[in-house]
Amino acid sequence: MIGALALTATLALAAGTAAQERPWTPLPDPVSATCPAGLCQPEGLNGFFAAVERGGPVQIVQFGDSHTAGGQITGSLLWRLQSRWPRLDVRMDAYGVVGETLRGLQARTPLFVGSAPDLVIIAYGTNEGFDDLLDSSAYERLLREQIRRVRQAAPSASILIVGAPEAMRAEGGGTCANDPEGRWRPPAMLSVVRDVQHRVAAEMGVAFWDWRGRMGGECSAHALTLGAEPLMRQDHVHFTGAGGDWIGSLLFDDIVAAQAHRGGR
């Protein structure tokens, strides 16, 4: 299980003077143009909310790639959920593999260890998006198959597809501000993967989180690498520790907003 994420205050030290706290700067909170409040089909989380409202315990399982394997995003989400509902036993098992695609979930047997979860988060897509030879039709069939498989293994569980985030590679032809050489641009298949995820989630009644929109949309993978305390690493794919905590907080905010709209406690 992932433990709570430790938060530390950063102090700026001036030579020959006492330490002073660095001025607080609010983190960005972009609005998704794709999904209201960041989540499409929030009713797809009703099973999860029902488990919360029953008083727990609440079990979450997340499958994904390096974003999951890094632990910062999942740790941030879990810590906030546990803080939100301190009297509940909220647990998360996160299975992330660097470089993994949805085929890693297909190969997983058994799908769950122990009791069936209340929420299953499927967080793949970045590596598929960097595959220029990806067969989008085959990918769509696989995604539908894995959603059906999760439903068969855990009929009462909610399913949340975390849409592929904005990511880039240095291949030229970019048009982002503050990139005068036009070095960075997203791979073409990344938007295809994201569109498939969005459409399949809608057609199958699964919750979908617009990660790309909530991190700022177009060129956000470049913009977030800039500044004194960047939220993305210079590879324009992975997040810094602070960035992972920020992304986890956005996902948490959108989940809590969906429950409040439903009328939950």
Side-chain angles (χ1 to χ4, degrees):
M1 185 186 346
I2 300 174
L5 186 68
L7 300 179
T8 59
T10 303
L11 299 180
L13 299 178
T17 63
Q20 295 180 347
E21 289 189 8
R22 180 173 300 172
W24 177 77
T25 302
L27 290 172
D29 189 14
V31 176
S32 166
T34 301
C35 299
L39 275 170
C40 287
Q41 296 85 240
E43 65 277 4
L45 297 181
N46 282 348
F48 169 65
F49 295 145
V52 169
E53 291 156 13
R54 283 195 303 268
V58 179
Q59 179 67 36
I60 305 168
V61 174
Q62 177 163 323
F63 302 107
D65 50 30
S66 57
H67 293 298
T68 299
Q72 293 96 342
I73 298 172
T74 48
S76 172
L77 175 61
L78 177 61
W79 176 76
R80 285 173 167 81
L81 291 173
Q82 290 173 332
S83 299
R84 171 76 176 182
W85 300 306
R87 296 183 179 181
L88 301 185
D89 181 12
V90 182
R91 308 173 185 177
M92 176 184 285
D93 293 320
Y95 302 97
V97 178
V98 175
E100 192 67 276
T101 68
L102 189 59
R103 294 202 175 277
L105 182 58
Q106 180 187 37
R108 182 177 173 82
T109 303
L111 195 55
F112 304 116
V113 177
S115 59
D118 301 293
L119 173 63
V120 178
I121 303 175
I122 300 175
Y124 299 97
T126 300
N127 294 306
E128 287 94 335
F130 276 74
D131 180 1
D132 295 331
L133 301 178
L134 181 73
D135 182 333
S136 61
S137 296
Y139 173 71
E140 179 173 340
R141 288 193 298 271
L142 179 62
L143 181 57
R144 292 179 182 276
E145 172 189 303
Q146 294 312 302
I147 292 172
R148 287 192 291 267
R149 185 168 170 240
V150 169
R151 283 176 166 165
Q152 182 176 12
S156 62
S158 295
I159 301 174
L160 171 62
I161 294 179
V162 172
E166 178 78 338
M168 295 177 156
R169 57 187 176 195
E171 60 182 4
T175 59
C176 295
N178 298 315
D179 180 21
E181 297 178 355
R183 182 183 178 196
W184 296 95
R185 70 172 180 178
M189 292 305 297
L190 193 56
S191 63
V192 174
V193 168
R194 200 178 294 115
D195 289 346
V196 169
Q197 293 173 325
H198 182 209
R199 178 167 47 80
V200 168
E203 293 175 359
M204 298 189 72
V206 170
F208 173 86
W209 190 60
D210 180 22
W211 186 348
R212 178 182 184 268
R214 289 294 270 135
M215 64 184 278
E218 184 177 0
C219 287
S220 57
H222 179 64
L224 294 172
T225 66
L226 306 176
E229 296 183 0
L231 298 177
M232 288 198 79
R233 301 181 194 173
Q234 293 304 310
D235 64 3
H236 289 57
V237 175
H238 299 97
F239 291 82
T240 63
D245 181 54
W246 168 62
I247 291 297
S249 74
L250 294 178
L251 179 53
F252 166 79
D253 288 345
D254 293 344
I255 290 173
V256 169
Q259 189 200 22
H261 182 74
R262 178 176 180 267
R265 60 184 175 90

